[in-house]
Amino acid sequence: MIKDDKQLAYSKEWAEKFAEANLTLRANEEKRLKDPDGWQLIQDSNDALRRKLLDEITEYEALVAHDPEQPIVLSIENLDYLPDLLIKARIAMKLTQKELAAFCQRTEEEIKSFEDKNYHNASFLDFANALDVLGIKLVNGKFVAKMDNFYKQRLMNIRRESHLDSDLSGMKVAS
């Protein structure tokens, strides 16, 4: 799963490398004739890895482009990837790690650590709190995320306070 723009750029780079590797491989007629099974296996492997990266790129770009005012249906391959729902919803709802930390009464570093480790280092209460903030619910067998108005209002307040703090830090105190 792609979690940020840095990983997005890296994934795009690797998708391109896999495509270039297959172009080079297809041009190698000698290898194809000597070892047709190996030649095909490498090509199929590169294609599968590239397709997986392209799927992840498409998913991340859709999350980034999502209108946070609208609910979003999230998917995971199986329940082992349940923590991915939190990260996907945070991205789709346009919350920063710092803002989620404010909601969850954690530090930005703790939220970053949770996400880096796929919430394996988070307590059940931290996990449940993030689910609540992000409005993730199971609806008709699908995971749907939609922040409720209470959290939207709090988010506006957090953002307003954050801008006030940054505005005040730039001001000089008259002496």
Side-chain angles (χ1 to χ4, degrees), residues 59-78:
E59 177 185 52
Y60 180 78
E61 289 176 339
L63 292 171
V64 169
H66 177 74
D67 176 359
E69 293 297 317
Q70 300 300 315
I72 185 168
V73 176
L74 301 169
S75 63
I76 52 175
E77 289 179 34
N78 63 55

Side-chain angles (χ1 to χ4, degrees), residues 74-86 88 118-120 127 131 136-139 141-144:
L74 301 169
S75 63
I76 52 175
E77 289 179 34
N78 63 55
L79 289 179
D80 291 337
Y81 298 105
L82 199 57
D84 289 356
L85 292 175
L86 297 176
K88 290 177 183 184
N118 295 320
Y119 279 83
H120 291 130
F127 189 86
L131 278 174
I136 300 172
K137 296 183 178 21
L138 192 58
V139 178
K142 295 180 181 177
F143 293 103
V144 178

Side-chain angles (χ1 to χ4, degrees), residues 17-53:
K17 285 181 182 183
F18 284 123
E20 290 170 8
N22 270 0
L23 286 175
T24 302
L25 185 63
R26 285 186 192 108
N28 189 341
E29 189 66 23
E30 181 183 337
K31 171 115 174 123
R32 186 182 69 80
L33 292 173
K34 269 186 166 178
D35 182 14
D37 291 338
W39 179 85
Q40 189 65 51
L41 183 65
I42 293 170
Q43 194 168 296
D44 291 347
S45 179
N46 285 345
D47 283 340
L49 291 168
R50 184 170 183 270
R51 265 192 310 279
K52 177 135 177 63
L53 284 172

Side-chain angles (χ1 to χ4, degrees), residues 60-118:
Y60 180 78
E61 289 176 339
L63 292 171
V64 169
H66 177 74
D67 176 359
E69 293 297 317
Q70 300 300 315
I72 185 168
V73 176
L74 301 169
S75 63
I76 52 175
E77 289 179 34
N78 63 55
L79 289 179
D80 291 337
Y81 298 105
L82 199 57
D84 289 356
L85 292 175
L86 297 176
I87 300 165
K88 290 177 183 184
R90 182 187 60 75
I91 293 167
M93 296 298 140
K94 311 291 187 265
L95 262 71
T96 65
Q97 290 174 332
K98 185 176 185 174
E99 291 166 342
L100 183 58
F103 279 120
C104 296
Q105 297 178 335
R106 293 284 173 229
T107 66
E108 181 178 3
E109 292 74 25
E110 286 173 311
I111 296 296
K112 180 174 178 11
S113 176
F114 291 165
E115 289 189 4
D116 287 346
K117 295 178 181 175
N118 295 320

